């Protein structure tokens, strides 16, 4: 509803510009590696007035409450405290998807120009990531984001990297053929093969990406993925292949925190 007699929506904020949301974020404040152990990351807990009684007494209050007007209480924690902070018998929904090595360094087959293929979501033979990663060469079609100059429909991008660990041993050659393109957005069909001397090995897409692709770290980290990211960029409850980016809130969880939550009846 609008404000009385004004015809203006009560929640309307006038003259908001995108620049109003700019803020300074010093480079040294951007984590390029996870906290170790991961559940020692910082956690800020906000609770309204006396309803924050379930917060453990050992916390350090940063802002108190007014005796007359209830306000938010803000407390400084570590994520290891999360089990004690959550109400007993709460329901917690976890994203159990596992990040796949979906970033592919590549070059144009004709010109050798540098390129990159970032697989986003499968289209064929199935939109289900688990089934799509079981596809054979030529069967797999994905929506993707393409980087590189003068890349056009029908181009073939060749991917010959050695994976996140840098230990790729099979010599797989993966090719992505552009079947549609709209700016950086594209549809690619994937083909792969092994060197002749490797024999007839029936590789599936999931195996190929482990050998060729890299874990797709967020661009603000400004570094390449390495072998440590194979574990640290996965949540402890990740079991189903399919994500092309980690559910980052879940990276703070440890098995100890999850076990403590279950002991308190959190589902």
């Amino acid at each position: 509803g609008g404000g009385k007699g004004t015809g203006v929506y009560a929640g309307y904020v006038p003259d908001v510009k995108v620049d109003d949301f700019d803020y300074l974020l010093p480079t040294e404040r951007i984590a390029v590696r996870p906290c170790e152990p991961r559940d020692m990351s910082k956690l800020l807990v906000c609770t309204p007035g006396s309803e924050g009684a379930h917060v453990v007494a050992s916390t350090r209050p940063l802002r108190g409450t007014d005796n007359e007007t209830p306000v938010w209480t803000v407390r400084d924690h570590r994520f290891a405290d999360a089990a004690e902070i959550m109400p007993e018998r709460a329901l917690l929904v976890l994203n159990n998807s596992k990040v796949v090595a979906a970033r592919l360094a590549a070059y144009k087959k004709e010109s050798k120009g540098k390129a990159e293929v970032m697989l986003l979501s499968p289209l064929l033979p199935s939109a289900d990531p688990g089934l799509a990663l079981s596809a054979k060469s030529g069967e797999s079609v994905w929506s993707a984001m393409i980087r590189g100059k003068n890349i056009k429909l029908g181009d073939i991008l060749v991917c010959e990297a050695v994976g996140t660990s840098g230990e790729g041993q099979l010599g797989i050659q993966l090719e992505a053929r552009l079947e549609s393109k709209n700016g950086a957005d594209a549809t690619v069909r994937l083909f792969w093969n092994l060197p002749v001397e490797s024999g007839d090995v029936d590789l599936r897409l999931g195996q190929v990406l482990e050998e060729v692709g890299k874990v797709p770290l967020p661009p603000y980290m400004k570094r390449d993925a390495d072998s440590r990211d194979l574990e640290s960029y996965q949540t402890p409850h990740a079991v189903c292949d399919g994500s092309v980016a980690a559910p980052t809130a879940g990276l703070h969880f440890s098995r100890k925190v999850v076990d403590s939550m279950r002991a308190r009846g959190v589902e």
Side-chain angles (χ1 to χ4, degrees):
K4 185 175 180 180
T6 65
V8 178
Y9 175 60
Y12 174 71
V13 180
D15 301 324
V16 175
K17 302 179 181 63
V18 173
D19 291 347
D20 293 337
F21 297 92
D22 288 346
Y23 59 92
L24 177 64
L25 180 58
T27 302
E28 63 272 17
R29 293 291 186 177
I30 301 175
V32 296
R33 296 283 179 186
C35 184
E36 186 59 44
R38 63 172 69 199
D39 60 12
M40 289 307 292
S41 55
K42 292 181 179 180
L43 177 65
L44 199 64
V45 177
C46 303
T47 51
S50 60
E51 293 181 18
H54 62 271
V55 177
V56 293
S58 61
T59 59
R60 176 170 59 89
L62 301 180
R63 185 185 306 159
T65 57
D66 189 295
N67 290 331
E68 297 180 359
T69 306
V71 296
W72 288 94
T73 299
V74 181
R75 300 180 186 270
D76 194 15
H77 286 260
R78 298 289 180 179
F79 200 84
D81 301 327
E84 297 178 67
I85 293 167
M86 289 191 68
E88 294 183 8
R89 297 181 297 279
L91 176 64
L92 178 65
V93 180
L94 296 174
N95 184 337
N96 66 352
S97 61
K98 187 176 181 180
V99 181
V100 297
R103 174 166 284 142
L104 306 167
Y107 61 84
K108 293 173 68 175
K109 191 169 187 176
E110 290 186 2
S111 68
K112 309 300 181 185
K114 187 177 180 180
E116 182 183 87
V117 179
M118 176 70 177
L119 301 179
L120 299 179
S121 58
L123 302 173
L124 293 173
S126 172
D128 181 281
L131 295 176
L133 291 168
S134 298
K136 296 180 180 180
S137 176
E139 296 178 344
S140 187
V141 178
W142 285 64
S143 63
M145 183 170 64
I146 304 295
R147 291 181 179 176
K149 294 182 179 179
N150 301 318
I151 298 175
K152 58 186 183 299
L153 188 65
D155 279 353
I156 294 176
L157 305 179
V158 181
C159 314
E160 288 186 311
V162 292
T164 302
S165 67
E167 299 176 355
Q169 301 294 321
L170 298 180
I172 298 170
Q173 184 178 77
L174 172 64
E175 294 184 349
R177 186 180 69 200
L178 272 70
E179 298 199 336
S180 70
K181 189 174 186 296
N182 181 15
D185 297 325
T187 301
V188 296
R189 183 176 293 272
L190 303 174
F191 301 85
W192 55 88
N193 55 65
L194 287 166
V196 175
E197 61 270 19
S198 299
D200 185 17
V201 179
D202 187 19
L203 286 179
R204 303 305 172 109
L205 178 59
Q207 298 169 285
V208 172
L209 293 181
E210 288 179 8
E211 285 284 318
V212 176
K214 284 186 173 289
V215 171
L217 298 181
Y220 59 77
M221 287 189 176
K222 299 186 185 304
R223 67 174 178 85
D224 288 333
D226 58 35
S227 57
R228 286 179 286 176
D229 296 307
L230 293 173
E231 180 177 351
S232 65
Y233 200 59
Q234 304 284 3
T235 66
H237 39 271
V239 292
C240 302
D241 285 330
S243 288
V244 296
T248 49
L251 295 179
H252 304 298
F253 281 83
S254 64
R255 297 191 186 282
K256 181 179 178 181
V257 169
V258 173
D259 290 343
S260 296
M261 288 182 173
R262 285 175 177 155
R264 285 176 57 82
V266 175
E267 294 185 25

